[in-house]
Structure formats: structure tokens, C-alpha cells
């Protein structure tokens, strides 16, 4: 099997990291690309476009999880520097909203719950229908009605 | 709260423990490769970190697909160019006939309305001929309704236009671009009850200038 064109793969990986990690500075992108290249070179036989994107995704997921557990980068790692991130109050509000959203979703009828979950992570009704073996129409209705009910539920909890 | 704000809140990893996050399963789930995705979706509802990873996986899969599709753009060799010209000419004729059909029938308004829906509840009216009428959405009146609330959305479910009216029709304003939309109506009655329509599809023509 021929060796992958590593220069081309590096360009592709850089593009993928930039797109998935929007907002990262160039130094951060370089670091992540370097980590990704190491993973790609461990499995040269598997390298294709899909694998490159998956590698970019896994590098970014690992980085975010690591940072959440133990901040190593940015102002969060330097408590004496002015913190421009979300304030503790903002974080509490975000956590409350997330919790309320979860409760409202759990209250939703079963027929809507999975469709709404897929919609909230970025899938449109057509994809929902494919993934859940449902008709497009039932998924469209579940999204429309479900979002209305979700907003109403959040309002009733005072978080929307 | 907009759809985007809801999505952002759902994918907020703040406060999630991230226990039980299996990245391989998330990748397979986002790619539609799991037979039963239900348990994983139940986990996403409790874990913003996994929801964020799933949303990113989907974006990565779309990016990979775009990359894989990109080299397949095919330029016909010179021998096939005449065939390409014939296809282009045929397409131009079809576009011309389509435009003519849209603009020509002055008597189209006299055609009886065609109702769409499952026959139960509010039904949508379609079948108007001219361009202006094409931006008019209308439906079967509901007895005792005092108000109708209409929502027009893009196929990706972004709200494009909302209106309240006492009539059983609205004209979609010119601010909404032409193209495919979906729409629905809720009829409010005097006693406070509501009747909801199905979700209907329509293709809006560009607004006349």
C-alpha cells in the first residue's frame, strides 16, 4: 500500500481542527494538529478523509475534556489574571438552564423525546426520521410541537 | 428563546460529570450506525459534554463527506461536450416553459381551491395561479375561531415569519425570500381552546418588486 501524502493530510487536518475548534488561536490549532498527526501516523493504512476528520474531532474532544477537568490553558489556569470568561453567576445560570432543559425533555412524551434530543444536537427532521425509523412527517411534527412545549416548560420554570 | 439558544444550552458541558461518555459510541451514533440509539440519546440528555461531542461529531462527519465528495467533480471530456450542450439547451427550455406557466394563466384564480391535509382539522389551501397569490397562505376556517396564529419556517426549521390574524389567510411579507417553506396554523377559539393544523409545505415565489 502506498504511503499517504502527509503534507496533504496535514493541510486537511488543519482545516478540520480550525472548523471544529472555532475560536482557538493559531498556537492552539498547531498543538492540536501536531497531536492529530501523531495519531494519524500510527495508523497510516487507515488514513482517508473520514479518518482525518475523526482524528481532528477526537483530539478536540480530548482537549476539551482535559481542560474541563484541570484548566491548563488560558486565564482559568492563572487565577491572578483578570478572568474574562463566564462569571460564577453565569455558570450557575447555564447549569440551571441545562438542568431545566433536561427535566423538560424528560417530561416530554416519549414519541417526541428522542426526536427533540437529535434536533438539539444538530440533526434535521430528515436525519431524525432515518435514525429512528420514523416517518418524516411524524419527526417534523415532533420537532414543531416539541419545541413549543419545551419553551413553555422552560418559561414555567422561570429560566427562559 | 431561539432554537440556536436552546441548542447551545443543551450542548453546554458546564456541570456535566462526563461519566459514561464513550466517544466511539458517540461517533457511531452521530453517523447513524447504531441499531438502537435510544440509550445513548438518554445519556445525552443528562450530559452536556457528550451532547457537545455528538454535535461536533456530526459537524466532522459533514466535513469529511464534503471532502470525499469534492474530488468527484467531473469535467466531461471534449467528446462529450456536444451532449452537455444538448442537456443545457433542454434545461433552458424547461426553465422558459416553467416561467411562462407561472406568469401566464390569468384565469387561474377561478380554479377551485385544492385543500391539503389529512381531512381532519385545519386544511391548507393551495392552487392559486399568479405570483402574488403564491405568497398567500390560506386554510379552511375553523368554526368559532377568533384568531389564527401562523408560523412560517424554513425547511431547517428556523422561524421566518409569525402572524396573528382574524382572517383565514396571510400574505407572507417580501422580507421572506422565495423558496421552500413549511407552515402551520393554530386557531384560537373564544372559549380558550385551540385547534392545531398539520404542518404544510409550500414553495414561495420571490416577492414581486
Amino acid at each position: 500500500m502506498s504511503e499517504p501524502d502527509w503534507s496533504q493530510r496535514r493541510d486537511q487536518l488543519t482545516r478540520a481542527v480550525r472548523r471544529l475548534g472555532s475560536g482557538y488561536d493559531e498556537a492552539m490549532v498547531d498543538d492540536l494538529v501536531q497531536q492529530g498527526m501523531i495519531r494519524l501516523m500510527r495508523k497510516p493504512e487507515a488514513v482517508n478523509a473520514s479518518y482525518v476528520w475523526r482524528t481532528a474531532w477526537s483530539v478536540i474532544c480530548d482537549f476539551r475534556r482535559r481542560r474541563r477537568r484541570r484548566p491548563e490553558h488560558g486565564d482559568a489556569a492563572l487565577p491572578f489574571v483578570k478572568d474574562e470568561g463566564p462569571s460564577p453567576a453565569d455558570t450557575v445560570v447555564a447549569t440551571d438552564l441545562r438542568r431545566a432543559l433536561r427535566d423538560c425533555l424528560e417530561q416530554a412524551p416519549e414519541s417526541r423525546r428522542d426526536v427533540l434530543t437529535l434536533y438539539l444536537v444538530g440533526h434535521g427532521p430528515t436525519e431524525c426520521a432515518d435514525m429512528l425509523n420514523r416517518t418524516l412527517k411524524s419527526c417534523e411534527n415532533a420537532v414543531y410541537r416539541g419545541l413549543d412545549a419545551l419553551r413553555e416548560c422552560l418559561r414555567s420554570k422561570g429560566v427562559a | 428563546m431561539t432554537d440556536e439558544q436552546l441548542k447551545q444550552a443543551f450542548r453546554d458541558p458546564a456541570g456535566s460529570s462526563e461519566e459514561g461518555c464513550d466517544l466511539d459510541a458517540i461517533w457511531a451514533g452521530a453517523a447513524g450506525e447504531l441499531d438502537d440509539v435510544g440509550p445513548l440519546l438518554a445519556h445525552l440528555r443528562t450530559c452536556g459534554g457528550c451532547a457537545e461531542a455528538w454535535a461536533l461529531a456530526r459537524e466532522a462527519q459533514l466535513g469529511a463527506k464534503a471532502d470525499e465528495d469534492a474530488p468527484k467533480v467531473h469535467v466531461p471530456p471534449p467528446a462529450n461536450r456536444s451532449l452537455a450542450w444538448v442537456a443545457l439547451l433542454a434545461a433552458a427550455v424547461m426553465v422558459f416553459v416553467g416561467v411562462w406557466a407561472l406568469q401566464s394563466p390569468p384565469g387561474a384564480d377561478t380554479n377551485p381551491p385544492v385543500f391539503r391535509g389529512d381531512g381532519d382539522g385545519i386544511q391548507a389551501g393551495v392552487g392559486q395561479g399568479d405570483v402574488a397569490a403564491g405568497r398567500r397562505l390560506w386554510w379552511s376556517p375553523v368554526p368559532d375561531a377568533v384568531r389564527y396564529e401562523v408560523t412560517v419556517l424554513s425547511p431547517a426549521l428556523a422561524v421566518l415569519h409569525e402572524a396573528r390574524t382574524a382572517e383565514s389567510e396571510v400574505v407572507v411579507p417580501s422580507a421572506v425570500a422565495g423558496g421552500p417553506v413549511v407552515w402551520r396554523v393554530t386557531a384560537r377559539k373564544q372559549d380558550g381552546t385551540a385547534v392545531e393544523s398539520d404542518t404544510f409545505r409550500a414553495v414561495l415565489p420571490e416577492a414581486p418588486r
Side-chain angles (χ1 to χ4, degrees):
Chain A
M1 177 179 257
S2 61
E3 185 80 355
D5 179 343
W6 290 115
S7 165
Q8 190 190 2
R9 292 307 183 195
R10 187 181 184 91
D11 290 346
Q12 193 176 28
L13 183 65
T14 306
R15 197 156 36 83
V17 167
R18 281 210 181 101
R19 176 160 154 189
L20 299 179
S22 58
Y24 292 169
D25 62 29
E26 278 307 298
M28 182 68 68
V29 170
D30 278 351
D31 279 355
L32 294 172
V33 168
Q34 199 54 35
Q35 291 171 34
M37 286 303 291
I38 291 169
R39 293 186 195 189
L40 290 181
M41 286 177 166
R42 280 188 197 139
K43 277 193 175 178
E45 74 283 358
V47 173
N48 55 26
S50 176
Y51 193 74
V52 170
W53 278 87
R54 182 173 178 161
T55 301
W57 169 76
S58 66
V59 162
I60 287 176
C61 285
D62 288 348
F63 167 70
R64 290 186 178 187
R65 293 165 87 173
R66 222 171 29 242
R67 192 171 58 175
R68 282 196 286 273
R69 280 191 210 117
R70 185 167 55 88
E72 293 171 341
H73 302 276
D75 294 348
L78 302 169
F80 50 88
V81 174
K82 183 185 173 196
D83 183 1
E84 293 176 347
S87 68
D90 288 341
T91 305
V92 169
V93 169
T95 307
D96 284 351
L97 176 56
R98 219 303 171 168
R99 194 176 297 131
L101 201 47
R102 182 193 64 196
D103 292 345
C104 289
L105 278 169
E106 293 303 336
Q107 286 171 24
E110 200 176 339
S111 61
R112 286 181 187 164
R113 210 179 295 147
D114 284 349
V115 177
L116 277 175
T117 305
L118 283 172
Y119 181 73
L120 291 172
V121 288
H123 298 275
T126 307
E127 288 175 318
C128 294
D130 284 345
M131 293 167 91
L132 300 172
N133 292 320
R134 303 253 303 259
T135 64
L136 175 59
K137 192 176 171 66
S138 79
C139 286
E140 284 174 344
N141 277 323
V143 171
Y144 302 138
R145 305 270 182 261
L147 286 175
D148 276 355
L150 208 53
R151 290 191 179 98
E152 191 56 46
C153 176
L154 289 173
R155 267 194 294 272
S156 74
K157 291 177 182 292
V159 290
Chain B
M1 185 172 269
T2 64
D3 286 13
E4 279 313 306
Q5 287 169 324
L6 281 175
K7 288 176 181 177
Q8 206 174 348
F10 189 69
R11 301 167 192 176
D12 190 336
S16 56
S17 70
E18 299 192 46
E19 282 174 16
C21 286
D22 177 346
L23 286 184
D24 287 338
I26 288 173
W27 181 269
E33 292 168 355
L34 295 182
D35 289 336
D36 181 11
V37 76
L40 194 50
L41 295 180
H43 177 69
L44 296 192
R45 289 192 282 274
T46 65
C47 177
C50 286
E52 181 193 49
W54 180 299
L56 268 182
R58 181 178 178 275
E59 205 179 328
Q61 286 158 6
L62 291 176
K65 187 171 184 311
D67 275 1
E68 280 165 357
D69 290 347
K72 291 179 187 162
V73 175
H74 178 65
V75 179
N80 288 343
R81 291 232 170 116
S82 56
L83 201 58
W85 277 109
V86 171
L88 193 64
L89 189 63
V93 169
M94 286 170 73
V95 168
F96 175 77
V97 169
V99 169
W100 177 79
L102 269 178
Q103 290 181 341
S104 62
D109 279 349
T110 60
N111 289 343
V114 177
F115 285 106
R116 251 188 338 203
D118 57 10
D120 183 23
I122 300 175
Q123 293 180 281
V126 294
Q128 295 296 296
D130 64 56
V131 170
R135 295 183 67 86
R136 177 173 153 251
L137 307 176
W138 51 295
W139 53 92
S140 54
V142 174
D144 304 328
V146 291
R147 191 179 77 224
Y148 298 97
E149 295 163 4
V150 188
T151 309
V152 182
L153 306 105
S154 73
L157 306 181
V159 175
L160 302 173
H161 179 60
E162 289 177 305
R164 288 180 173 198
T165 175
E167 308 298 324
S168 59
E169 65 174 47
V170 293
V171 175
V172 181
S174 56
V176 177
V181 294
V182 291
W183 61 284
R184 62 185 166 131
V185 183
T186 303
R188 302 279 177 196
K189 295 187 178 183
Q190 189 92 48
D191 60 6
T193 57
V195 178
E196 292 184 329
S197 75
D198 279 343
T199 302
F200 306 111
R201 295 169 187 278
V203 179
L204 297 180
E206 288 297 340
R209 294 185 183 272

